[in-house]
């Protein structure tokens, strides 16, 4: 009889339980009412009296062994499910993949930092904007063709609302809620109803700058842009071409000297050596008035630039759509040192 117990013990010890199904099979085969251990208990009364004690002890021990094995296996499976480390916390973990800063954010942060160093703060405004802040206060007369310069997504429920077409709307908000001197920079997303192609997108990013104080002149504007060009592009050589924006007078577009030595230089600057980077000008007195600032006392400059354009030049990115496709092969290239 003791031999039977020993045989069963050998059998139980040789089994390894690797999943829940096997554990259940094990329970049915050995631990259930119809299982092998119970069968042996039923033999108890046939065991000669002098062997009963040893048999009983061996059988109880076997039962404990089988129950322990079953319980341990189940606990192991549970902790594997909870920790994913197969119950062995001394094993090396699964390494967490580090992300990269998106190139649009990296460029935005760099530009914001450059202006923060000379006393600009950061202001933000809503992406769904009313006609006043996006157009009217910025001296776009109603029904004026200047509004067509920026194809607009209107909000159907309320024709007074639109997705802002530029971050110049934040200028107006900054002037409405602050008294000069105002030195602020406003990064953000803007929207235009334009076909998507390699060079243009209906959603992109801009950074707006605004400085309002007494006696601000065009010379101050040029100086701050030279500082920016030197810090960001490493070259303070800029040129300003006359331009038109409803909210500035006079208005200019700014080019930074890029160079014209390599084939890439030719491609990037369209053979001119100059890189067009932003629009700017002296804030129109009408805009100051509309925003509650007396143009007889104060003057100021404003500028605005597109972040995608600058990022495409910095990183030699040929297609604007890459910024929003979230292709890991693209994004991983912007990982900084680990
Ligand atoms: N808002 C203009 C645009 O989206 C950019 C711009 C031009 C902003 C001149 C300015 C400025 O502040 O002075 O095209």
């Amino acid at each position: 009889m003791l031999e039977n117990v020993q045989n069963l013990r050998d059998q139980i010890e040789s089994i390894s339980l690797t999943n829940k199904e096997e554990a259940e099979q094990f329970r049915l085969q050995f631990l259930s009412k119809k299982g092998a251990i119970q069968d042996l208990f039923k033999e108890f009364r046939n065991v000669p009296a002098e062997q009963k004690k040893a048999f009983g002890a061996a059988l109880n021990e076997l039962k404990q062994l089988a129950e322990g094995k079953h319980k341990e296996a189940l606990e192991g499976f549970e902790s594997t499910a909870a920790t994913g480390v197969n119950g062995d916390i001394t094993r090396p973990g699964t390494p967490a993949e580090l992300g990269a800063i998106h190139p649009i954010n990296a460029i935005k942060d760099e530009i914001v930092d450059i202006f923060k160093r000379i006393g600009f703060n950061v202001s933000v405004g809503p992406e769904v904007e009313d006609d006043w802040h996006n157009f009217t206060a910025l001296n776009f007369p109603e029904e004026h063709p200047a509004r067509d310069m920026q194809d607009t997504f209107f909000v159907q429920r309320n024709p007074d609302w639109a997705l802002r077409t530029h971050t110049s709307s934040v200028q107006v908000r900054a002037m409405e809620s602050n008294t000069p001197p105002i030195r602020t920079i406003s990064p953000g997303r803007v929207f235009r109803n334009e076909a998507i192609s390699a060079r243009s997108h209906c959603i992109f990013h801009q950074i707006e700058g605004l400085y309002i104080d007494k006696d601000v002149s065009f010379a101050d504007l040029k100086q701050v842009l030279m500082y920016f060009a030197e810090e960001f592009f490493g070259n303070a050589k800029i040129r300003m071409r006359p331009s038109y924006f409803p909210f500035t007078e006079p208005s200019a577009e700014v080019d930074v000297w890029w160079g014209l030595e390599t084939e890439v230089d030719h491609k990037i600057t369209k053979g001119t050596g100059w890189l067009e980077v932003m629009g700017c000008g002296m804030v129109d007195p009408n805009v100051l008035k509309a925003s509650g600032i007396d143009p007889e006392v104060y003057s100021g400059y404003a500028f605005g630039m597109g972040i995608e354009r600058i990022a495409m030049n910095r990183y030699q990115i040929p297609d604007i759509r890459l910024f929003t496709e979230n292709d890991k092969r693209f994004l991983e290239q912007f990982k900084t040192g680990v």
Side-chain angles (χ1 to χ4, degrees), residues 231-242:
E231 294 295 303
F232 189 85
F233 295 98
N235 187 348
K237 197 168 150 192
I238 64 171
R239 73 176 184 188
M240 295 168 114
R241 287 175 288 107

Side-chain angles (χ1 to χ4, degrees), residues 300-315:
Y301 61 71
F303 54 86
M305 57 189 123
I307 302 182
E308 275 78 356
R309 274 278 308 281
I310 292 175
M312 285 166 87
N313 283 313
R314 162 73 64 92
Y315 299 120

Side-chain angles (χ1 to χ4, degrees), residues 150 165-166 168 171 192 206 208 245 247-248 279-281 302-304:
Q150 304 178 354
T165 58
H166 52 181
S168 301
Q171 269 189 39
R192 299 219 184 141
Q206 289 186 333
E208 187 80 13
F245 301 101
F247 34 90
T248 42
C280 67
F303 54 86

Side-chain angles (χ1 to χ4, degrees), residues 225-331:
L225 295 180
M226 280 164 63
Y227 159 76
F228 168 70
E230 173 74 44
E231 294 295 303
F232 189 85
F233 295 98
N235 187 348
K237 197 168 150 192
I238 64 171
R239 73 176 184 188
M240 295 168 114
R241 287 175 288 107
S243 185
Y244 170 77
F245 301 101
F247 34 90
T248 42
E249 180 59 36
S251 305
E253 265 166 274
V254 182
D255 300 337
V256 174
W257 178 248
W258 177 273
L260 201 52
E261 277 154 33
T262 67
E263 206 178 313
V264 174
D265 294 344
H266 271 266
K267 235 171 102 185
I268 288 180
T269 65
K270 294 180 194 138
T272 66
W274 293 95
L275 190 66
E276 191 186 315
V277 290
M278 68 175 102
C280 67
M282 300 307 292
V283 180
D284 193 291
N286 285 340
V287 176
L288 293 174
K289 243 184 279 172
S291 311
I293 287 178
D294 185 354
E296 301 294 329
V297 181
Y298 295 105
S299 56
Y301 61 71
F303 54 86
M305 57 189 123
I307 302 182
E308 275 78 356
R309 274 278 308 281
I310 292 175
M312 285 166 87
N313 283 313
R314 162 73 64 92
Y315 299 120
Q316 301 282 292
I317 297 167
D319 191 322
I320 197 170
R321 290 169 290 199
L322 285 162
F323 290 122
T324 42
E325 279 169 358
N326 279 342
D327 186 329
K328 270 179 85 182
R329 292 168 301 177
F330 171 74
L331 297 172

Side-chain angles (χ1 to χ4, degrees), residues 184-258:
T184 195
I185 190 122
S186 320
R189 246 183 347 171
V190 301
F191 308 83
R192 299 219 184 141
N193 191 359
E194 273 171 22
I196 298 175
S197 70
R199 296 208 65 82
S200 79
H201 207 291
C202 56
I203 304 177
F204 54 101
H205 299 76
Q206 289 186 333
I207 295 192
E208 187 80 13
L210 177 74
Y211 177 38
I212 308 286
D213 205 347
K214 288 180 179 153
D215 300 323
V216 179
S217 72
F218 203 88
D220 296 319
L221 171 59
K222 189 170 179 196
Q223 202 58 44
V224 84
L225 295 180
M226 280 164 63
Y227 159 76
F228 168 70
E230 173 74 44
E231 294 295 303
F232 189 85
F233 295 98
N235 187 348
K237 197 168 150 192
I238 64 171
R239 73 176 184 188
M240 295 168 114
R241 287 175 288 107
S243 185
Y244 170 77
F245 301 101
F247 34 90
T248 42
E249 180 59 36
S251 305
E253 265 166 274
V254 182
D255 300 337
V256 174
W257 178 248
W258 177 273

